[in-house]
Structure formats: structure tokens, C-alpha cells
Amino acid sequence: MTIHNIYIFNKNGNLLYYNEWNRIKQTGMTRDEEAKLMYGMLFSIKSFVNKISPTDPKDGFLYYKTSKYTLHYFETLTGLKFVLNTDNHAQSVRELLQQIYNQVYVEYVVKNPLIDLAQPIESEIFKEKLDTLIKLSPIYFSKSI
Amino acid sequence: MSRASTRFDSKKVNSELVTLTYGALVAQMVKDAENTDDVGKQLERLGYNMGVRLIEDFLAKTGTGKCMDLKDTADKIQSAFKMYLGLQPNVSNWSPAGDEFSFLLDCNPLTDLVELPEDLKNLKYCNVICGAIRGALEMVQLDVHSWIIQDQLKGDPCTEIRVKFIRRLEDALPAGED
């Protein structure tokens, strides 16, 4: 199992944070363009899922899967969006995303008054804690590529 | 986590320390500002900035879901009062349209040791709470207006904070290509 990369968007669709662990293929665009493309797609899927749902959608869009990877999506009520790409075998990624929000984002970004919540996260301690959490997770397992 | 062990248990923080710190802040603002209305406005803004961050902590700790209606919202704010100020205000005085309600606080930790002097009778001492409610709700797409209509500091039997629902904010669209 492996974790490829993470995107964190704020409610306005700005990329707050990006990091990658086992990303084998790059898009060839700039990070900016890639983030815009990603956010645009997420926005569309979200509204598509909610519109087309034959019953009342509770959580809405949760993840999608291709033959090679799974994209997990977690949105908080405040509009923060956490996107994690893993391989197809990853279990309980939702819990991990929840932990990233509870234990890393809230603790080291929200509770740090020096961080502007609308700007990309530069904090070293945040990066460190996120990296530790990801690497401790059973989902993370660096395959020899 | 290393920080969790050194952090205060939220229930164990002495409320007097909060009262006194807040009092010192207000006193300084009164000294700095031209008039008491400005202080009220500043306190509201301060509260707003606190609410914007506080909501994340609240959501992370309680894992609460979307609000069904304004009654649900009121209940959730009530539990937030319990969490952050250690008190249980009553929710009452619903407007007929159901878009307005009040929190009644019979005691308020912010004003425990406070008495307003004669020349500051207009000061909205607890405006920070109104701001916090507004800021927190704005983050969950609810535009509300919040103000104080009764204040123990002005001789009323209890402190009453009024909340009026204005509208639901819409999801932001992705930034267009420019």
C-alpha cells in the first residue's frame, strides 16, 4: 500500500498545501495549473454527485477509483478540502483524513495566530507533523519502485 | 502528540484568569479608543477573528454534522458555550418567523469581576461573544447578525444575546481562467 500525494484547498479553491511521497508520474504542468485543474474537477464532481443523486446525498462525494489509484476526498463544514491519492488497496483513508484535519491542521495551522488562513501554509512544524502522521499510517508503505 | 500533553485541559483553566485578561484588554482599548462605540466595534471584530478559528476547533472536537435548521444551529452554539465558557445558556425568545432567537446567560464568566463606571455605560462589554458567533457561523455558510439586548452590567437580570439569521451563503465557484 502507498500514499501518493495530498492536496489541501480552502473554501475558495486556493491551494493551501501540497506534498507528495510516492508520485511516479508528473503532469508536466506547473503546480498552479495542476491545482486549478484538480479543484475544478472536484467542484464539478461534487455538484454532479449532489444533483444526480436519486436519494438525499448525505456526505456527497467520497472518492473515485481508477485501475491504478484512488482519490479520496474529505470536505469539512467550513469548506476545507483534503484530497489524498493512494493505491487501490488502502483501507480507512477517511479516518486518516479526519486525523489530518483534527490533529494536524487544527492544531498547527488554526491555532497558530501567525498563519493567515487564506494563504498557502509555510509552517515547518505543520509539514513535519503531517509527514510524521502520514508515515506512521499503515496505509503508507514505501514500495521499492 | 507532544503538544497535547502540555496543553491545558479546557476544563481546568481558571475562569478568573480569562476574566482578568479580558478585562485588561478592554481597559486598554478604552484607553486607546476615542469613544466607547469604537471599542464595541473593535471587540466585535476581535470576536469575529476568534470565531473564524474557533469553529475549526469546535468541528474537529465534536465531529458535528451539518445543521438541519436554525434550531439545530442554536443547540450547537449552546454546546459551544458549554465547551468554551463552561456555561449553559437558555435558548429562547424565538421570533414568529423562526429566524431569530436569544441566548440567555444568567452568569457570564467575562463579567464576573466587572462593574462599569458611569462614563462607560454605553460600552458593549461582551461584544466579543457576538463577534465570535458571527465569525463561526460565517465559516459554515450562515450569515447572521448578532447583538446584545440585555446586559447584566447595565442592571438587567440576565445577559441576552440576540442572533438573527440573514441568509445562507453559497459555495464559492472555482476561480475562472484569466
Side-chain angles (χ1 to χ4, degrees):
Chain A
M1 294 202 284
T2 186
I3 291 174
H4 298 301
N5 54 0
I6 189 169
Y7 299 82
I8 302 176
F9 294 98
N10 73 358
K11 64 173 357 173
N12 298 322
N14 300 323
L15 184 66
L16 294 185
Y17 186 70
Y18 173 83
N19 199 6
E20 61 189 39
W21 288 273
N22 290 314
R23 184 172 181 173
I24 300 137
K25 186 177 155 291
Q26 297 290 342
T27 50
M29 318 180 226
T30 64
R31 184 75 65 230
D32 249 20
E33 281 175 306
E34 188 186 303
K36 261 190 196 166
L37 197 63
M38 175 60 96
Y39 186 80
M41 181 208 57
L42 294 170
F43 192 89
S44 309
I45 294 188
K46 213 180 82 178
S47 61
F48 173 79
V49 165
N50 289 334
K51 275 208 184 79
I52 223 77
S53 171
T55 59
D56 188 26
K58 205 174 149 274
D59 292 322
F61 171 48
L62 298 173
Y63 67 89
Y64 76 69
K65 191 180 246 182
T66 75
S67 61
K68 288 285 188 193
Y69 74 101
T70 307
L71 176 144
H72 302 264
Y73 178 77
F74 170 67
E75 184 174 344
T76 70
L77 286 181
T78 50
L80 272 165
K81 295 154 185 84
F82 295 83
V83 180
L84 196 70
N85 286 315
T86 68
D87 67 292
N88 287 337
H89 308 291
Q91 300 284 319
S92 59
V93 181
R94 250 194 127 56
E95 282 75 21
L96 177 66
L97 286 168
Q98 186 85 48
Q99 278 179 342
I100 293 175
Y101 174 57
N102 287 3
Q103 298 173 9
V104 185
Y105 183 81
V106 170
E107 290 296 321
Y108 298 102
V109 176
V110 176
K111 293 189 185 172
N112 182 345
L114 296 179
I115 296 182
D116 181 348
L117 296 181
Q119 294 300 319
I121 302 162
E122 306 282 356
S123 157
E124 282 303 323
I125 186 154
F126 169 80
K127 289 176 193 172
E128 210 173 282
K129 295 284 171 185
L130 180 65
D131 198 55
T132 315
L133 183 69
I134 294 278
K135 284 183 176 159
L136 283 177
S137 156
I139 305 164
Y140 181 85
F141 174 69
S142 24
K143 271 191 299 195
S144 46
I145 304 154
Chain B
M1 238 182 311
S2 60
R3 211 169 113 177
S5 55
T6 57
R7 203 174 41 186
F8 286 112
D9 183 341
S10 51
K11 286 181 196 77
K12 283 187 189 143
V13 177
N14 190 340
S15 76
E16 252 173 50
L17 179 63
V18 178
T19 311
L20 292 172
T21 314
Y22 185 67
L25 176 77
V26 177
Q28 186 61 47
M29 285 166 93
V30 168
K31 216 178 280 174
D32 290 347
E34 301 280 312
N35 59 58
T36 46
D37 279 355
D38 278 355
V39 178
K41 265 184 212 140
Q42 287 298 323
L43 286 174
E44 211 268 352
R45 234 184 59 187
L46 193 78
Y48 173 84
N49 290 330
M50 286 163 75
V52 163
R53 283 170 190 258
L54 217 48
I55 183 76
E56 303 280 5
D57 182 65
F58 178 74
L59 293 176
K61 276 195 185 131
T62 59
T64 180
K66 255 203 176 92
C67 294
M68 297 302 148
D69 50 25
L70 205 61
K71 270 214 158 62
D72 198 17
T73 310
D75 287 347
K76 280 172 180 154
I77 302 175
Q78 196 182 26
S79 67
F81 267 111
K82 180 103 195 88
M83 248 174 94
Y84 295 111
L85 290 173
L87 48 90
Q88 194 108 47
N90 288 320
V91 181
S92 65
N93 300 351
W94 283 88
S95 69
D99 65 341
E100 256 185 84
F101 59 93
S102 296
F103 291 108
L104 297 175
L105 291 73
D106 16 316
C107 71
N108 182 350
L110 290 184
T111 61
D112 264 351
L113 311 161
V114 179
E115 210 176 322
L116 281 185
E118 207 46 58
D119 56 326
L120 291 177
K121 277 293 174 214
N122 299 325
L123 180 62
K124 293 180 177 126
Y125 192 83
C126 298
N127 239 359
V128 74
I129 300 179
C130 301
I133 292 175
R134 184 170 71 88
L137 290 184
E138 189 180 298
M139 292 302 283
V140 289
Q141 314 288 80
L142 291 172
D143 193 7
V144 300
H145 188 51
S146 170
W147 69 101
I148 297 172
I149 51 176
Q150 283 194 71
D151 196 337
Q152 274 167 323
L153 289 177
K154 283 152 200 161
D156 296 315
C158 64
T159 301
E160 178 172 355
I161 295 168
R162 194 89 179 137
V163 177
K164 180 183 169 58
F165 170 78
I166 299 170
R167 68 198 166 100
R168 199 172 268 279
L169 300 161
E170 290 305 321
D171 259 7
L173 278 150
E177 295 290 323
D178 32 51

